[in-house]
Amino acid sequence: MSAPTANSRPLNIAIVGAGLGGLSAAIALRRQGHLVKVKFEVAIWDRQYIFKESFQVFEASLVNKEIGAAIGVPPNSMRVLEAFGYDQKNLRSCDYRGIVAYSADGGEGRTMLFKDQAKHYGRQGCLCHRTALHEELKRLALGEEGTGTPVQIFLGKEIANCDPEAGTLTSQAGETYEADVIIGADGIRSTMRTVVLGSSVVAPATNICAFRWTVDASKLEGRPELDWVLKDGVTGARLVGEADSGHIFLYPCQDATLINVTMMHPDTRDQDKHSWYSRVTREDVLREYKDFGPPFKAFIELAEDPINLWQLRAIPLLPTWIKARLALVGDAAHATFPTLGQGAAMAVEDSAALGCMLPYGTKPEEVPSRLAAYQDVRKARGEFVCIDSLEQITIPSKRGLFMRSEHMQDMLNGYDGIAVAQEHFHKTFIKF
């Protein structure tokens, strides 16, 4: 490694994609003193339903909002966010201390507690709305306060081509942008992944889908038959039903004023002949969950049309995440099921590792070896989460393994992504 000198300059970083992964990468690299621009085109799920964003992150539309519902922020993710300087109050989060599980026909709930996360991992996992986390990451990336130069966002820049050897991006309008490093953070339908691999890799059909919706918690007031949703039991999530026949998974966010709902079940359609994302009605949901008990149907009745129906897909394991000056992060590299609640956390950890491998003083000619080191430190962990998240919903013997296994909880929640990446950097590049 070459130490920074008076002639050292910041690297020019271009990020394609401004979701949670793209913004996290922007923050990590900004904090190293680099010049980060987010230029991107992101199409979520299907061209029929396009929600696009951009930064240097590049974005095709003039929108800069994260879509989706709520997510979990586990301790390993919080550890990185704290290093980024985030303010947890801005997430309006709720503690995630465990799950109360119910059979589909009702009866008394069974409480499954996490170990004391604050005691064992130094921080308590939480639940928040995805938009709240996205807005906090935008504040850290774009704000004048904080370490480094604020990130630049270029809206309305759809990326048509990338040359990872030359370090160039070309927009649909024919504009060319040069960068020392290009980060592909453009999601499960990534175009940057195609550039890395030389061919398209499409997430295969799984024949599993999910209804997703949110409901105002005030609708529960004066409804004692719905006390199971928020009032009864541990602060955290509620699980109703079985994985093989369909289940409801819900939890509070936005200071417990909003309830996030995911209803995962088998999909009997030919998924490849349907949009990955569509809209359905409350009656469609009730029809699918007709065998669930009265307290659960009463909750579904609170849903308002239209309701989102998402196909759940996972990216197959990739032979590589890198090519020359281009590296993939987040869902572009390892999109998976939400079973372990680690999807966004892996994108945040990926970004922190990139920051560690590209400190100020890194020379442009050193970038390919630094990205190789990033892959070395991140690929196995990202692939573990990708595989196990899928298997814990598709293999009966593995269902609920995360809740039963303290070892797995420790491996995921207790991980210090920055410390591990820094150690790998020093072993690989520091010469004594």
Side-chain angles (χ1 to χ4, degrees):
M1 171 193 171
S2 300
T5 68
N7 295 323
S8 294
R9 68 164 178 84
L11 295 172
N12 289 311
I13 314 286
I15 300 176
V16 181
L20 300 180
L23 283 176
S24 296
I27 295 163
L29 294 163
R30 168 188 173 170
R31 291 177 63 84
Q32 292 289 2
H34 301 305
L35 300 177
V36 184
K37 301 176 183 178
V38 186
K39 313 166 165 69
F40 84 111
E41 182 270 331
V42 174
I44 304 295
W45 297 111
D46 197 291
R47 291 281 174 180
Q48 186 178 356
Y49 297 94
I50 290 193
F51 300 83
K52 296 180 177 178
E53 311 181 11
S54 176
F55 286 69
Q56 206 134 321
V57 187
F58 290 90
E59 170 55 354
S61 79
L62 301 180
V63 177
N64 184 216
K65 297 288 288 184
E66 176 74 353
I67 68 164
I71 59 172
V73 185
N76 52 303
S77 181
M78 282 187 166
R79 189 174 284 109
V80 175
L81 295 174
E82 287 172 5
F84 287 171
Y86 93 126
D87 187 339
Q88 189 174 348
K89 294 193 300 294
N90 292 339
L91 302 188
R92 299 183 60 194
S93 61
C94 299
D95 282 351
Y96 190 13
R97 298 185 180 275
I99 298 171
V100 182
Y102 298 88
S103 63
D105 56 1
E108 182 142 353
R110 177 170 57 94
T111 299
M112 299 178 288
L113 290 174
F114 294 125
K115 62 167 47 178
D116 187 330
Q117 294 181 339
K119 176 181 177 181
H120 289 277
Y121 311 129
R123 46 206 46 83
Q124 174 62 49
C126 72
L127 303 161
C128 74
H129 201 283
R130 192 178 189 93
T131 299
L133 178 56
H134 190 256
E135 289 299 310
E136 179 64 358
L137 293 175
K138 280 173 62 178
R139 181 184 72 84
L140 294 171
L142 308 181
E144 293 294 332
E145 298 180 0
T147 303
T149 303
V151 173
Q152 292 180 271
I153 296 185
F154 291 77
L155 298 175
K157 301 292 184 181
E158 183 173 354
I159 299 303
N161 191 34
C162 172
D163 184 336
E165 302 285 349
T168 59
L169 293 165
T170 305
S171 73
Q172 288 283 19
E175 303 160 309
T176 298
Y177 307 90
E178 296 183 353
D180 299 309
V181 183
I182 300 171
I183 307 301
D186 50 342
I188 191 170
R189 304 191 80 165
S190 169
T191 56
M192 293 298 103
R193 183 171 61 239
T194 300
V195 174
V196 167
L197 300 177
S199 60
S200 176
V201 172
V202 177
T206 62
N207 296 115
I208 300 173
C209 64
F211 298 122
R212 296 178 64 185
W213 47 284
T214 58
V215 61
D216 192 319
S218 66
K219 290 187 175 183
L220 304 178
E221 295 175 5
R223 301 284 301 275
E225 74 276 20
L226 297 178
D227 283 353
W228 63 273
V229 177
L230 288 181
K231 292 184 178 180
D232 296 343
V234 65
T235 302
R238 304 292 180 262
L239 175 66
V240 183
E242 302 297 333
D244 55 354
S245 58
H247 66 264
I248 304 170
F249 190 74
L250 59 86
Y251 54 82
C253 59
Q254 294 290 84
D255 297 325
T257 63
L258 194 68
I259 301 164
N260 178 73
V261 187
T262 301
M263 304 175 67
M264 195 181 303
H265 54 277
D267 192 349
T268 58
R269 305 171 302 167
D270 182 343
Q271 290 187 322
D272 289 328
K273 293 182 179 179
H274 291 80
S275 168
W276 289 20
Y277 166 82
S278 57
R279 298 293 183 95
V280 297
T281 68
R282 180 175 58 199
E283 291 306 312
D284 294 323
V285 180
L286 287 166
R287 189 178 306 112
E288 182 68 37
Y289 286 78
K290 64 182 183 301
D291 295 328
F292 278 51
F296 313 124
K297 287 182 179 177
F299 178 74
I300 296 172
E301 290 281 0
L302 301 179
E304 296 181 358
D305 296 340
I307 296 165
N308 299 320
L309 175 63
W310 299 77
Q311 292 186 26
L312 297 183
R313 298 190 179 218
I315 289 293
L317 301 189
L318 305 179
T320 183
W321 294 0
I322 59 170
K323 184 175 183 180
R325 299 182 180 278
L326 171 60
L328 305 176
V329 301
D331 283 355
H334 46 69
T336 190
F337 273 44
T339 320
L340 299 182
Q342 287 282 341
M346 290 300 102
V348 171
E349 285 186 2
D350 290 347
S351 300
L354 274 173
C356 292
M357 298 305 162
L358 296 168
Y360 189 86
T362 300
K363 297 177 181 179
E365 60 268 25
E366 295 174 323
V367 166
S369 65
R370 300 299 175 80
L371 296 185
Y374 153 73
Q375 175 170 265
D376 289 342
V377 81
R378 290 301 306 162
K379 196 166 186 284
R381 180 168 167 86
E383 289 180 344
F384 171 82
V385 170
C386 189
I387 293 170
D388 256 62
S389 294
L390 182 59
E391 289 184 347
Q392 288 195 34
I393 196 69
T394 58
I395 298 177
S397 63
K398 294 192 72 170
R399 288 175 189 157
L401 177 60
F402 177 73
M403 290 300 300
R404 301 193 304 270
S405 172
E406 287 196 12
H407 171 71
M408 185 175 290
Q409 292 177 37
D410 289 346
M411 182 181 66
L412 293 177
N413 294 329
Y415 187 83
D416 189 333
I418 293 176
V420 171
Q422 288 176 335
E423 180 181 6
H424 186 78
F425 177 86
H426 280 269
K427 286 182 177 179
T428 306
F429 299 111
I430 302 296
K431 309 301 181 185
F432 294 99

